[in-house]
Amino acid sequence: MRQQPVLLVIAHGSRDPRHAGAVHALVRRVRSMRPGLRVETGFLDFNIPSVQGVLESLAAEGVREVVALPLLLTRAFHAKADIPAVLRDAPPRLRIRQAEVLGPSPLLLSALERRLYEAGLTPADKSSTGVVLASAGSTDPEAIAVIADIAREWWHTGWCAVRPAFASASLPRTEDAVRELRELGCSTVAVAPYVLAPGFLPDRIARGAARADVLAEVLGPSPEVARLLLERYDTARTRMPAAVSA
């Protein structure tokens, strides 16, 4: 029987230990949701194991098929360049399929709302609450456009207003979006970090949320994110090339 491909979750990595902690917590949740699926974690930078190291270990064990899943919310430089470059250097015996990035997805909107409700809001607050959708930021126009589209889509679910903001590379900053929502007349202003793990840029988002009423936690190991990882894995797995007998 053909074995199911190994799921390799590829995270960016950070000097901040909270980043790796959140990634590992998310991977543990994924494993708990699908017992029997082998899930490994590799980092592009700062943390170990490296993506290359994991791929070499898998090949040495005799693994043949891998789904490489970028732990990214937008399709920017890391998904377009860094990760494909690392995968091209993988041991040739591995058949690797790169899955799509996580966003956009309705599951991520559900995770964002979960975090806002955990921070103290209720569904009854939606019509009077303005939300800042605060992402890390990017120089990639496609990624910036996706964040703006998500903000518009989320606003149509009943929030008073939703404004995108960025911690780096792009404008507006979180504090500017908070001020805009105040001027717009929203009774409550909440900041929803559209990031997966704590670190330098999420901390900048938190500082920019100082004048907001509510600051949600990062998405982290929320069940919706874990479910989305499995959906992306399943989609990529169906496109795996047929196994070739040795």
Side-chain angles (χ1 to χ4, degrees):
M1 179 182 294
R2 178 179 176 179
Q3 290 187 332
Q4 58 185 337
V6 171
L7 169 56
L8 172 58
V9 177
I10 300 179
H12 181 273
S14 171
R15 293 186 178 91
D16 190 323
R18 297 174 298 167
H19 173 90
V23 171
H24 291 310
L26 174 59
V27 169
R28 286 194 297 271
R29 184 179 286 273
V30 171
R31 289 180 180 134
S32 71
M33 293 173 67
R34 188 169 297 182
L37 172 62
R38 182 172 179 180
V39 187
E40 299 291 343
T41 308
F43 295 90
L44 291 173
D45 205 355
F46 301 116
N47 302 105
I48 55 174
S50 68
V51 176
Q52 187 66 29
V54 174
L55 291 172
E56 290 173 356
S57 295
L58 291 173
E61 292 178 29
V63 171
R64 300 298 298 272
E65 296 182 327
V66 176
V67 169
L69 197 159
L71 199 59
L72 301 168
L73 295 174
T74 58
R75 183 171 165 76
F77 181 78
H78 293 304
K80 294 177 179 179
D82 284 351
I83 292 175
V86 172
L87 298 182
R88 282 194 296 270
D89 289 337
R93 69 173 297 163
L94 291 176
R95 286 189 292 272
I96 303 174
R97 175 72 65 177
Q98 181 176 332
E100 294 295 329
V101 298
L102 299 181
S105 168
L107 284 170
L108 290 175
L109 291 183
S110 296
L112 287 164
E113 294 204 358
R114 170 190 290 275
R115 292 302 190 223
L116 286 172
Y117 297 150
E118 290 171 347
L121 293 179
T122 70
D125 297 320
K126 290 187 74 167
S127 62
S128 60
T129 300
V131 180
V132 178
L133 179 68
S135 73
S138 174
T139 57
D140 189 303
E142 178 186 349
I144 298 303
V146 166
I147 299 299
D149 289 343
I150 293 170
R152 284 191 292 270
E153 179 183 350
W154 203 15
W155 170 58
H156 286 301
T157 67
W159 297 99
C160 174
V162 180
R163 295 290 185 271
F166 308 93
S168 69
S170 309
L171 295 173
R173 296 287 185 256
T174 302
E175 54 268 31
D176 299 326
V178 169
R179 183 171 55 253
E180 180 185 350
L181 291 172
R182 291 281 187 215
E183 294 171 352
L184 189 63
C186 298
S187 299
T188 302
V189 175
V191 175
Y194 189 63
V195 292
L196 288 165
F200 176 76
L201 293 179
D203 284 349
R204 181 179 288 178
I205 290 171
R207 290 193 296 271
R211 296 185 180 276
D213 302 297
V214 174
L215 171 62
E217 294 291 333
V218 299
L219 296 172
S222 64
E224 294 86 357
V225 176
R227 179 180 162 194
L228 181 55
L229 261 69
L230 290 171
E231 286 191 2
R232 294 288 187 258
Y233 168 81
D234 288 337
T235 299
R237 182 179 59 172
T238 63
R239 304 198 309 269
M240 293 292 293
V244 177
S245 300

